[in-house]
Amino acid sequence: MATAERDYYDVLGVRRDAGDAEIKKAFRRLARELHPDVSEAPDAQERFREAVEAYEVLSKTETRELYDRFGHAGLRSGGFRPTTFDFGSLADIFSAFFGEDLLSSRMRAGARGADVAADVEIELVEAATGTTRQVPYRATVPCAHCEATGVEPGTEVATCPTCNGMGRIQHVSRSAFGEFIRTQGCRDCGGTGRLVRHPCNECKGSGHQLQERRLDVEIPPGIHDGQRIRLSGEGHSGALGGRAGDVYVRVRVRRDPRFVREGDDIFSTVDLTMTQAALGARVEIPTLDGETELEFAPGTQPGEVVVLRGRGMPVLQGFGRGDQRVLVNVAVPRRLNDEQRDLLERFEQTAAEDTYKTDEGFFEKLKSAFR
Ligand SMILES: [Zn+2]
Ligand SMILES: [Zn+2]
């Protein structure tokens, strides 16, 4: 089913009077960006199909006219059907549209396979210790049935008459400035020079098959959200002896509501009650290594920061760890019963200037907490 009838000009991002060259350029740009092997956007595959369809219509005079005058309905009644294709044959699509130059074509002997993007999500505490995750992804492998030729074994292959087996066509144009030779991939044979009468039953002629794969990916301690891990040679297979592409695993580090990460440091807050702050208290606080008990001295002030050296995130591919900074918040009672009010009023009467006087060196202490 085609996409919900988006305007083809909008899809390609061109004006309605755009020329052929402009349309082609817009499509190339989109195709590069949305190529499902490259793009990480979840809707890349759908948008790519949409772009191919828009390009198919707008790049041909007949279909473009039909569309301009009667829209999607006109195309349908005119018998237009978007080409259906599977992503195993992307290289063929590209060579059909552009010759071989857009992405390195997998049809060429020895061409390197394309890269694959995959995602994995871990918790912040896992990022602190490092972890191993099984990452599922799909990559093409050479078709074993046809030995990657795309031809059903035992059947004949004809030489493409359009290009005489060259896979490309030369256009010679003469002008006042001389002769121009332009080489283009042959559309009839997709640049292969062959016409396969019986495509391989297993891979439908593409020469490769998509395979579900899983890889154990080691995620190093200290990894940051959005960083990518490259797994060399685990991507799409190369064509005819070319080396396989790579897999890029993007690591998403989930937010932990208890901590805020800043570089290798971790920030957290602790709530002391008014009396805990005044009398001193031992309080459990969360750290990346689990709960730990912190001792707060009598007279602890709101806004004080306790620094736990070396309790932050590990330095990625380095030594040591950042710090954890615990910000003290003091909770003031919001509702008092009669007895409590009475107690506090009595306390207030006994309080003197000295009760609230800042220690010598308090600001020094505060400053050192911020380094
Ligand atoms: Zn095959
Ligand atoms: Zn040909």
Side-chain angles (χ1 to χ4, degrees):
M1 179 61 202
T3 39
E5 314 260 301
R6 265 187 74 199
D7 180 66
Y8 290 141
Y9 292 97
D10 286 350
V11 169
L12 294 182
V14 296
R15 282 173 301 124
R16 297 192 82 81
D17 59 357
D20 287 349
E22 199 181 327
I23 285 171
K24 188 163 179 171
K25 208 171 125 193
F27 176 58
R28 267 170 186 268
R29 189 182 45 72
L30 266 180
R32 276 209 185 88
E33 179 187 316
L34 295 173
H35 189 298
D37 288 344
V38 174
S39 175
E40 291 174 352
D43 59 346
Q45 185 154 323
E46 198 41 55
R47 287 176 59 204
F48 180 73
R49 279 180 197 281
E50 197 175 57
V52 170
E53 187 181 318
Y55 178 73
E56 274 195 309
V57 170
L58 299 185
S59 61
K60 291 192 206 86
T61 318
E62 318 88 79
T63 43
R64 184 174 176 180
E65 265 176 21
L66 209 54
Y67 177 70
D68 283 347
R69 295 176 64 189
F70 306 110
H72 288 278
L75 282 174
R76 270 196 303 273
S77 59
F80 171 78
R81 294 275 174 280
T83 307
T84 51
F85 52 85
D86 75 278
F87 283 90
S89 60
L90 266 182
D92 310 52
I93 299 164
F94 280 116
S95 55
F97 281 128
F98 302 121
E100 293 184 314
D101 61 339
L102 185 75
L103 294 165
S104 71
S105 164
R106 276 178 246 149
M107 302 302 287
R108 234 179 317 147
R112 179 181 172 279
D115 296 334
V116 176
D119 273 291
V120 68
E121 203 175 49
I122 61 170
E123 302 293 340
L124 182 66
V125 286
E126 292 176 305
T129 54
T131 183
T132 305
R133 274 297 156 79
Q134 226 181 38
V135 178
Y137 66 99
R138 298 202 299 173
T140 55
V141 290
C143 174
H145 185 61
C146 63
E147 293 176 320
T149 58
V151 183
E152 181 63 22
T155 65
E156 253 177 68
V157 177
T159 301
C160 171
T162 315
C163 62
N164 287 320
M166 300 298 289
R168 58 191 72 228
I169 301 171
Q170 287 194 339
H171 296 274
V172 182
S173 51
R174 286 170 226 284
S175 77
F177 305 105
E179 206 171 69
F180 290 97
I181 299 173
R182 198 158 53 91
T183 307
Q184 219 182 17
C186 175
R187 283 184 179 223
D188 289 350
C189 60
T192 61
R194 315 167 309 174
L195 284 185
V196 178
R197 305 235 183 265
H198 305 279
C200 167
N201 289 327
E202 297 283 311
C203 64
K204 309 278 179 294
S206 68
H208 37 246
Q209 289 178 307
L210 265 187
Q211 198 180 53
E212 305 282 340
R213 284 206 233 165
R214 285 171 179 281
L215 263 184
D216 285 330
V217 180
E218 248 183 72
I219 301 167
I223 194 147
H224 292 267
D225 180 46
Q227 279 187 315
R228 302 205 287 178
I229 297 171
R230 178 165 150 251
L231 302 164
S232 178
E234 302 285 357
H236 292 305
S237 59
L240 306 173
R243 80 171 198 86
D246 302 331
V247 175
Y248 285 90
V249 178
R250 187 177 50 168
V251 179
R252 312 255 48 172
V253 179
R254 237 177 254 141
R255 290 171 65 103
D256 190 316
R258 301 168 302 168
F259 307 112
V260 172
R261 179 183 190 176
E262 233 180 80
D264 296 324
D265 290 338
I266 289 288
F267 291 79
S268 66
T269 59
V270 62
D271 287 326
L272 299 184
T273 66
M274 184 180 73
T275 40
Q276 280 177 321
L279 302 173
R282 298 181 70 87
V283 177
E284 294 259 295
I285 61 141
T287 73
L288 290 170
D289 314 300
E291 298 276 313
T292 195
E293 207 174 56
L294 264 191
E295 180 154 6
F296 294 91
T300 295
Q301 301 295 309
E304 266 183 50
V305 175
V306 180
V307 182
L308 305 175
R309 299 263 175 231
R311 300 300 285 272
M313 295 294 287
V315 179
L316 184 66
Q317 281 156 358
F319 299 100
R321 289 171 64 171
D323 302 328
Q324 178 173 354
R325 286 158 199 273
V326 185
L327 175 71
V328 176
N329 178 40
V330 175
V332 175
R334 292 176 191 276
R335 279 166 295 277
L336 297 172
N337 62 29
D338 292 344
E339 188 190 356
Q340 290 164 333
R341 186 176 308 103
D342 203 45
L343 282 168
L344 283 180
E345 279 168 354
R346 275 199 285 153
F347 167 78
E348 183 60 16
Q349 279 157 19
T350 63
E353 197 188 326
D354 193 48
T355 312
Y356 293 99
K357 201 173 144 210
T358 307
D359 275 351
E360 297 289 344
F362 169 72
F363 284 106
E364 285 308 308
K365 226 167 72 191
L366 198 62
K367 245 170 37 197
S368 79
F370 286 105
R371 262 194 274 191

